[in-house]
Amino acid sequence: CCKNVKNPTDTIDPVKNFERWKKKYNRTKTRVKREKRQKRRPEWQVEKEAIQRLVNKYNEVSNVFLLFTPGLMEAQYRQPTEIQRQTIGFALQGKDVLGAAKTGSGKTLAFIIPVLECLYRQQWTAMDGLGALIISPTRELAYQTFEVLRKVGKNHEFSAGLIIGGKDLKNESEKIHRTNIIICTPGRLLQHMDETAAFHASDLHMLVLDEADRILDMGFADTINAIVENLPKTRQTLLFSATQTKSVKDLARLSLKDPEYVWVHEKAKFSTPATLEQNYVVCELHQKVNMLFSFIRSHLQKKIIVFFACCKEVQYLFRVFCRLRPGMPILALHGKQQQMKRVEVYNDFIKKKNAVLFATDIAARGLDFPAVNWVLQFDCPEDANTYIHRVGRTARYKEGGEALLVLLPSEEKDMLSQLQEKKVPINRIQVNPEKLTSVQQKLEAFLAQEKEQKERAQRCFVSYLRSVYLMKNKDVFDVFQLKLQEYAASLGLAVAPRVRFLNKVQKQIADPGQSGGPGDVAPHEEEKELKSFKAQLRGDGLKSEAQESQSSDEEDDEEEDEEKLQPGPTGLIFGADETEEDEDMRDLDLLTVKRKDVFSLEEVDQDDEVRCSCLWWCQFCGHQCLLILDLGTQRGMVQQWPPLQRTAVPATEGEEDDCTSGINVEEARERLRREDQEFDKLEYRRKVKEKHRVRLRQRSAKKNGSNQAEKAGKTRQKQKYRVRLQFSHSVKRFLH
Ligand SMILES: Nc1ncnc2c1ncn2[C@@H]1O[C@H](COP(=O)(O)OP(=O)(O)OP(=O)(O)O)[C@@H](O)[C@H]1O
C-alpha cells in the first residue's frame, strides 16, 4: 500500500524535478568548496575575515551585540540597556564617547564590551602590551569593574591587571608591561608611569574614565591630566558619569576628540530610577540613633545600606549596634579599614540575603551590590549629586528599591530645594512614635562598662560635629543649630565632650578682640588661626582644601580625616576647664502625625543570633593585592604588598585618639617639622618624576615611528597565537 503514497513535494514534471535537484546540488557544491578553502587557510585569517565582516555590520550591531560575546550570554546579559545600545555602537566605530546615564543603568558593560571588542578586533596578544586602560575613582569600584571584566571576558585570552594602590612597585613592575587591560586608580597608575621604566602606554588603544565626576571631586584632575599626557593621541577615549557636572564637561573637552555625547536620561522627568521610591523624614538629631535601631528592627528580612557622614560614626555605631543585637547581620565599610578588609566586607555583603551595611560615602558611587532593598541616609548628603549616587545603590537595573533620607529640621528646607532642582521626586513621611524604640539606656550601660567604647562615642560626637562644620553649604549645614548635650546623650554619653574648635569659634564670634586664653601660642600664629577659622566659616576653608589635597583613594581621605579636621596646630589648645556635668536630656517629643508606617515593627526575640562580620578581623590585614589574571584560563596570581600610606607623615601612636582633647602643641610642631621634611622629599621626587616623564615621552615618540614597520611583521606573527574558537563560532552564528 505504501507504494501508492506519493511524496507531496514530487511533481510529475521531470524537468522541474531536475531543476530543483540542480539547485540543491550547486548549493552543496559551493558550501563544500568554501569549507575546503577555509580548511586550507590558517585559522587567524578566517578569524580576521569574520572580524572584518563583523566590523562592516557595526551599524546594525547595536541591537544585537549581545549575540556575539559568549561571556555575555553566560552572564545572562541578553538585551542591551539604553546606555549600552546608544554608546556601544559609537565606540565600536572608533569614536570618542561621553556617556551619562542614571545610576544602575549598566554603564560598566557600556565600556567593557568595546574594550574587549577593540582588542579582539586588533587581534591583540600578551606580547602587544597595554591595549586598554580603565581608570576608576575608588579601589572598590576598580575591583568591581575587574570582576565584571573577568566574567564577561572569560573566553578571551587577554591578561588583565588590577592596580589599586600599594608601595612595592617592583613586583608590579615585573608584570605590568605584559598586561593588556589595566583597571586602576589614578594615583597608582601615574606612579607606574613615572617610576616603572618598562611600563609604557605608547600602543594604548582605548582609555576609559569611569565615574569621571567622582574622579574630579576627589581632586584627581591634575593626576588625570598628567596620565593623559603620557598616552598616545591616537587612542580612543570613553568617559562615563552618572551625573553631568561642569568639571566633567571640562575634562571631556581636554581628553576627548569630537566626542559623541550620549546623555540617555537628559529629557527624563526624574534623575533617579523610576523604580525607586524615595521618602524623607524630619528627625531631631538626638532621635536619630533610636530611629535607626527601630528601622533595622522593622526590616529584618531586608538588605539595607546606611550612609553616615564620617568614619568615626560608622565605627562607633557599628560596634554598639552589634552589641544591641537587632536581629540581623551588621557590616561596616569605611575608609579606615585596610584594603583587604574592605574587599572582604564588600564580598560578604554581596553574598548576604539580608544584612545591614553601615558605610561612609566610599560605598556611595558605582558599587553594585545585588538586591539592596533600602538605602537609608542617616546623615544628610553633602549635595544633591551625592544623594543621587547614594540612593543609586538600590533600584538597579529594573529592580525596585526604597530610599529614606533623614533630615534635621534645620536641613530640610534647603536640601529639599536642591533635590527639587535636580529632579529628584521625594515625599515627606512621618515616623510612627509608637514604633520607636529607645536604645539610649542600653548605650549608657555599654559605655559605663567599657572605657574604649566611651572614647569611641566621644570621637563619633566630635567627628560628626566637625563634618557638619566643614560642609560647604552653610544654608543646609549649621553646626550652631545642633543641640549638643541632647545629641551626646543619644550616643550614650552622660556629658557632651568639649568641642574645642566650636568653643573657640563661638568665642571669636562673640568677642573678636579677645585673646585665646591660657597656654596660648604666639600672637601672629593666632592671627593666622583666626583667619583660617573665618575662612572656614565662610565655607571656603578646610573642606575644600581637604578635598583638593586628597591624592589617591578614599581610604586615605578618611585616614586623614582626623588630621585635616583639626583646625590647625595652634588653634585648638585653649584649655578651657572641664565643662560642668549637665543633666542628661531625654527628649522624646516626637512627630505625631502618621502618614506612612515606616516602622511596622513586630516584636522580635531580643536573643536572636547576631551574626556580625567575623571577617572584620582579616588575617591579611596590612596587605593589598595585585591580581594579574589570564582572562582565558581564569588563572589568577595574587601578590601582596604593604598598604599605601597616604599621609605625608604617619600619625604617631595615640594621635588619632586626640580628637576629644585638642592638640598637643609640641606634638603638633614636631609633626609640622616632619611634614616639612617630607614635603621637601616629595618635591624632589616630583622633579625626578617630571624628568622621567619627559624621557618617557621622547621614548614613546621614537617608538611610535618604528611601530608602523613593526606592525606589519606582528600581524604575521599573530597567526601562531590565535585560538579563539568560541568567539569565532558565535560570530559565524551571527553572520549566517
Ligand atoms: N544588558 C544587561 N542585562 C542585564 N543586566 C544588566 C545589563 N547591563 C547591566 N546589567 C546589570 O545592571 C546592574 C547595574 O549595572 P552597572 O553597575 O554597570 O550600572 P552603572 O550605570 O554603572 O551604575 P552606577 O552609576 O551606580 O555606577 C548590574 O548588576 C549589572 O549586572
Side-chain angles (χ1 to χ4, degrees), residues 418-442:
Q418 274 192 49
L419 293 178
Q420 237 168 21
E421 218 173 279
K422 283 272 171 183
K423 301 198 286 185
V424 174
I426 188 166
N427 300 312
R428 179 173 174 155
I429 55 169
Q430 311 278 333
V431 176
N432 177 2
E434 283 162 30
K435 304 282 184 182
L436 214 54
T437 313
S438 173
V439 291
Q440 192 174 318
Q441 277 179 344
K442 283 188 182 155

Side-chain angles (χ1 to χ4, degrees), residues 628-646:
I628 301 273
L629 175 101
D630 182 325
L631 288 175
T633 58
Q634 297 282 296
R635 282 190 306 263
M637 290 171 280
V638 178
Q639 61 184 87
Q640 298 174 342
W641 72 82
L644 183 68
Q645 293 289 318
R646 282 282 318 285

Side-chain angles (χ1 to χ4, degrees), residues 471-572:
M471 285 292 183
K472 256 189 193 165
N473 189 342
K474 299 294 174 203
D475 294 332
V476 179
F477 301 97
D478 185 356
V479 74
F480 297 110
Q481 297 237 5
L482 306 179
K483 294 172 188 158
L484 303 192
Q485 189 55 49
E486 290 160 348
Y487 173 47
S490 75
L491 296 177
L493 290 164
V495 185
R498 197 166 15 130
V499 188
R500 292 161 197 258
F501 71 88
L502 282 186
N503 292 347
K504 173 71 184 161
V505 176
Q506 268 165 335
K507 264 189 206 166
Q508 296 293 352
I509 292 169
D511 183 5
Q514 195 193 334
S515 79
D520 252 352
V521 285
H524 70 276
E525 280 174 325
E526 208 189 316
E527 260 171 42
K528 260 200 247 165
E529 171 213 330
L530 181 60
K531 261 192 198 163
S532 111
F533 274 127
K534 282 183 177 166
Q536 290 163 37
L537 276 177
R538 283 196 305 272
D540 53 3
L542 281 182
K543 178 73 183 174
S544 53
E545 277 165 31
Q547 277 174 348
E548 268 168 33
S549 61
Q550 284 166 336
S551 64
S552 85
D553 300 336
E554 189 91 24
E555 173 187 355
D556 309 292
D557 306 339
E558 307 243 4
E559 291 282 357
E560 283 181 346
D561 185 44
E562 216 43 49
E563 298 302 332
K564 288 209 181 92
L565 295 173
Q566 302 280 10
T570 61
L572 306 180

Side-chain angles (χ1 to χ4, degrees), residues 293 297 324-325 437 442 603-608 610:
F293 182 77
R297 294 273 292 162
L324 283 170
R325 297 170 156 253
T437 313
K442 283 188 182 155
E603 269 313 306
V604 181
D605 184 6
Q606 282 288 333
D607 290 334
D608 274 356
V610 179

Side-chain angles (χ1 to χ4, degrees), residues 285-293 296 306-326 328-334 356-360 376-379 439-440 443-444 446-447 452-461 463-464 487-493 610 612 616:
L285 181 59
H286 60 271
Q287 283 300 337
K288 277 172 44 169
V289 176
N290 293 338
M291 211 199 89
L292 177 60
F293 182 77
I296 293 173
V306 184
F307 283 104
F308 295 88
C310 53
C311 288
K312 300 242 150 112
E313 244 186 320
V314 175
Q315 283 176 323
Y316 171 62
L317 290 174
F318 166 72
R319 273 159 204 273
V320 287
F321 269 63
C322 285
R323 289 202 60 185
L324 283 170
R325 297 170 156 253
M328 77 195 290
I330 303 178
L331 307 171
L333 185 67
H334 60 83
V356 53
L357 176 73
F358 286 6
T360 57
L376 194 153
Q377 305 196 43
F378 184 81
D379 293 320
V439 291
Q440 192 174 318
L443 298 192
E444 280 166 16
F446 294 155
L447 302 200
E452 209 183 303
Q453 216 64 272
K454 188 175 159 196
E455 283 168 5
R456 276 207 187 95
Q458 289 172 333
R459 279 188 224 128
C460 163
F461 178 90
S463 247
Y464 172 71
Y487 173 47
S490 75
L491 296 177
L493 290 164
V610 179
C612 298
W616 180 254

